Amino acid sequence: MSASAFPSIAPTIGVATSSSAAAISPQTSPLFRMNNPASIVQQPQARRYSPQHFYQNRILDPFVNQPVSPITLRQLVFFGRNMQEDKLIKSANYVRTELPIRLAHRIRDFQNLPFIVGTNPHIELVYDLYWQAFEKLSKVPEIKTLEDNDAFCELVKGLLNDHLVVIPQLALGIMECSKHIPPDQVDRFMNKMLRSRISRRVLAEQHLSLTSNFNSPNHMMTDRGYIGIIYTHCRPRDIIERTAILAAETCWQGSGGMEPPKVFLDGNIDAEFSYIPDHIEYILYELLKNSMRFVMKNGIPDARTGELPPIQITVCEGTHDIVFRISDKGGGIPPDMEAHLWSYAQSPARFANFEKISKMAATIQERMVSPSRSANLGIDDSQLSDRKDDNEGIVLPPPPATNKNSSYYGAESTTIRLDRHAPPRASKSTSSSASSSFSTASSQHHQRTVIDPSQSRTAARKPGHLDGTTHQYEDQSLHLGIGLPMSRVYAEYWGGDLKVFTMHGYGTDAYAKFCKFGNIYENFDV
């Protein structure tokens, strides 16, 4: 596919807005002024918005009336190959034009909320962030040079970082407003917001990554398989290894040291396809973490070995899809929980822990300093943001690694180091030497891989089921309650699906399906 196949750039639309670009404070926000008329009278010269800004303004109309130009993974892959200056400029102008349109639709959704919901401080904060981003992006002139593109990338990077507070603030706002809005409307609103958020971050992060790679001295090297944020050699074996060990580490920390169950992997584990690793890894991590947690809580240890029932992952490569089935014997999902599995509103109290989380990128990378781990290490949440750099939440592929035999996990560290960008291991001997301890049993008709999470740690284990004694599962982790709904949004975004079937009293099967060819357009509501 040539560069001309990339979605066409819509013409720039002039926006008549205030010349002030200062950040919005709570006292200058539109809803504050609507509810505090005295502030408008006392400071008319400082008024930035009128009530019409929220409900009757016409600034959004030209953008809301424009159609969104959706893309596919395949388009991103073909367009990103052999990047040249003219293609990079075209990508910048596409992102520059598309982001304000997508933001305008979400701002209009906020304006359609009941007034009492819109006055919630958490909802209002997100609305103001979206409006600020819309104003800044809609004013960017046409990008004509690489210098223009660099300045645009700095703006986009700053907005991405500012918007890391969106998910926690939305969750808290929904929790507090659950009595004032029907549950089905809450679910539609949240799914729209999260899908649109994914779409904007994909566009922004893909362009940032293309720019970063283009500006690097070795940007013409393509052997590492990354085109922007898309990896063209995703393999189920590697993805499950990373997510299973990280999920086991999370459960081990959250339980105070109880060993998680082993993971058995079979099927088409070496199939290759193109995908955004952040998306698929987030889904599988959430599914595996839930399975491990239920097995550790309800699983019956084997009478002979004392081991918990293992989790079975089967990978099937179909004509058009890659399907992951995750099966556990963790007692199944209770009926009252199953009824609200995908809802954001039916059990709003589950979002209460977002009060302890200031920022959330909804990627597996941030799990390296997870809430449960920080709690066990005695780290306050306010310290986490201090330990991150200015680019938190934006994970760009590094330059190609020079050591082709490097493994995914460093054996010298007791903490698992997630390095999905390391090159694939060259042989099974390399795999067996890594601290992740994959072992593969082969026969003429069957291949089965066993992940033993306990061998990836050198820390002392808490006595439990492995030494013949009993250890009651005590969940100390910090649950946010958004993992499964967010996982389904990720799965459906590129034309996939996520389904959960449970047998209460026995176990649960989860099916995650992904499009193999990347030829499905983005799935989000305009």
Side-chain angles (χ1 to χ4, degrees):
M1 183 179 293
S2 63
S4 61
F6 204 66
S8 59
I9 307 299
T12 304
I13 296 180
V15 180
T17 60
S18 169
S19 59
S20 173
I24 300 175
S25 67
Q27 288 72 29
T28 59
S29 65
L31 291 175
F32 179 88
R33 295 189 174 281
M34 292 170 65
N35 294 315
N36 298 271
S39 64
I40 301 178
V41 175
Q42 294 171 1
Q43 298 178 338
Q45 71 280 6
R47 185 179 64 177
R48 188 175 175 194
Y49 300 115
S50 67
Q52 283 72 27
H53 158 71
F54 195 85
Y55 285 112
Q56 300 173 4
N57 72 80
R58 293 292 177 263
I59 296 175
L60 289 178
D61 289 350
F63 292 86
V64 173
N65 292 333
Q66 287 189 76
V68 172
S69 300
I71 54 176
T72 67
L73 274 173
R74 177 179 288 185
Q75 283 180 309
L76 292 177
V77 168
F78 277 92
F79 184 85
R81 293 187 190 276
N82 304 316
M83 183 57 59
Q84 303 296 329
E85 180 177 340
D86 60 331
K87 293 175 68 178
L88 190 63
I89 298 300
K90 184 174 183 179
S91 172
N93 279 302
Y94 169 69
V95 175
R96 172 188 67 88
T97 311
E98 194 70 13
L99 288 182
I101 298 175
R102 301 189 183 198
L103 275 170
H105 285 283
R106 299 293 72 82
I107 293 173
R108 182 56 50 85
D109 287 335
F110 276 105
Q111 295 174 348
N112 290 332
L113 289 173
F115 178 80
I116 192 171
V117 176
T119 58
N120 179 272
H122 304 291
I123 300 296
E124 184 180 355
L125 173 61
V126 178
Y127 176 85
D128 288 343
L129 282 172
Y130 279 19
W131 186 267
Q132 287 184 56
F134 169 77
E135 274 199 321
K136 292 177 180 179
L137 290 168
S138 61
K139 293 177 181 177
V140 175
E142 181 181 359
I143 298 170
K144 299 180 180 180
T145 66
L146 292 178
E147 289 73 19
D148 293 342
N149 178 60
D150 290 340
F152 175 66
C153 287
E154 288 303 313
L155 170 63
V156 171
K157 192 180 299 184
L159 293 176
L160 287 177
N161 291 332
D162 291 343
H163 285 214
L164 288 174
V165 303
V166 165
I167 293 179
Q169 291 299 313
L170 279 177
L172 290 173
I174 290 302
M175 179 184 70
E176 295 177 0
C177 298
S178 59
K179 297 181 180 179
H180 307 297
I181 184 171
D184 57 341
Q185 185 178 353
V186 170
D187 293 340
R188 289 195 302 271
F189 175 78
M190 286 293 291
N191 282 324
K192 270 189 176 183
M193 289 295 157
L194 294 176
R195 274 196 290 265
S196 183
R197 175 189 174 276
I198 293 172
S199 76
R200 297 191 306 272
R201 295 191 78 91
V202 165
L203 295 184
E205 292 178 359
Q206 175 70 2
H207 180 68
L208 289 175
S209 184
L210 291 177
T211 299
S212 176
N213 294 340
F214 181 82
N215 291 335
S216 66
N218 52 358
H219 75 275
M220 295 303 293
M221 297 178 63
T222 58
D223 59 334
R224 62 195 177 105
Y226 271 93
I227 298 177
I229 60 174
I230 303 169
Y231 190 47
T232 57
H233 303 303
C234 288
R235 292 199 311 163
R237 178 199 297 268
D238 300 331
I239 296 169
I240 294 172
E241 175 182 3
R242 294 192 292 271
T243 53
I245 292 180
L246 187 55
E249 178 75 3
T250 302
C251 292
W252 182 76
Q253 293 279 358
S255 66
M258 181 179 179
E259 287 297 345
K262 292 181 180 179
V263 177
F264 291 166
L265 173 63
D266 62 7
N268 302 93
I269 59 178
D270 292 317
E272 281 197 1
F273 59 104
S274 298
Y275 217 81
I276 299 176
D278 272 343
H279 294 191
I280 191 170
E281 288 173 354
Y282 182 90
I283 297 168
L284 295 179
Y285 167 80
E286 288 294 335
L287 294 177
L288 282 167
K289 181 187 66 174
N290 287 341
S291 288
M292 289 181 180
R293 186 162 58 91
F294 273 87
V295 170
M296 293 166 70
K297 181 178 180 180
N298 303 317
I300 301 176
D302 184 271
R304 183 174 58 86
T305 65
E307 294 184 350
L308 289 172
I311 296 171
Q312 178 69 49
I313 303 179
T314 302
V315 182
C316 176
E317 181 182 14
T319 305
H320 304 287
D321 304 306
I322 299 283
V323 181
F324 295 74
R325 183 186 66 186
I326 301 176
S327 302
D328 67 64
K329 298 179 181 178
I333 302 173
D336 57 336
M337 184 184 299
E338 182 184 6
H340 310 313
L341 207 57
W342 309 108
S343 176
Y344 304 91
Q346 295 289 353
S347 181
R350 65 183 181 179
F351 288 158
N353 280 329
F354 272 105
E355 294 179 352
K356 305 174 184 178
I357 303 296
S358 59
K359 298 181 180 181
M360 181 177 181
T363 66
I364 196 174
Q365 299 297 322
E366 65 187 349
R367 298 296 182 176
M368 296 311 297
V369 187
S370 64
S372 60
R373 177 175 301 172
S374 61
N376 279 279
L377 296 178
I379 301 174
D380 184 74
D381 180 63
S382 61
Q383 297 176 289
L384 297 183
S385 58
D386 298 335
R387 296 173 54 179
K388 300 177 183 178
D389 56 27
D390 293 336
N391 294 331
E392 65 174 334
I394 304 175
V395 183
L396 302 179
T402 55
N403 180 12
K404 297 297 181 182
N405 294 320
S406 61
S407 64
Y408 282 103
Y409 303 97
E412 73 281 358
S413 174
T414 59
T415 302
I416 296 176
R417 177 177 60 86
L418 182 65
D419 184 10
R420 66 164 184 242
H421 307 303
R425 283 163 288 190
S427 64
K428 291 180 181 179
S429 60
T430 306
S431 174
S432 62
S433 64
S435 63
S436 55
S437 297
F438 254 58
S439 60
T440 304
S442 301
S443 66
Q444 184 176 0
H445 303 290
H446 183 69
Q447 177 172 308
R448 193 182 202 190
T449 301
V450 182
I451 308 174
D452 187 356
S454 65
Q455 298 185 31
S456 66
R457 290 183 293 273
T458 58
R461 301 177 212 162
K462 186 173 182 177
H465 59 274
L466 291 181
D467 59 6
T469 63
T470 60
H471 172 61
Q472 186 175 0
Y473 176 74
E474 298 176 0
D475 194 349
Q476 306 170 15
S477 56
L478 185 66
H479 299 292
L480 301 178
I482 202 172
L484 276 181
M486 188 74 193
S487 295
R488 189 164 71 170
V489 171
Y490 269 128
E492 294 177 344
Y493 181 72
W494 293 114
D497 197 7
L498 177 60
K499 296 184 182 299
V500 173
F501 301 93
T502 186
M503 298 174 64
H504 185 47
Y506 182 77
T508 301
D509 283 3
Y511 292 82
K513 182 175 69 174
F514 305 95
C515 178
K516 185 167 67 172
F517 299 119
N519 57 352
I520 305 296
Y521 282 99
E522 303 168 275
N523 174 27
F524 63 93
D525 300 319
V526 178

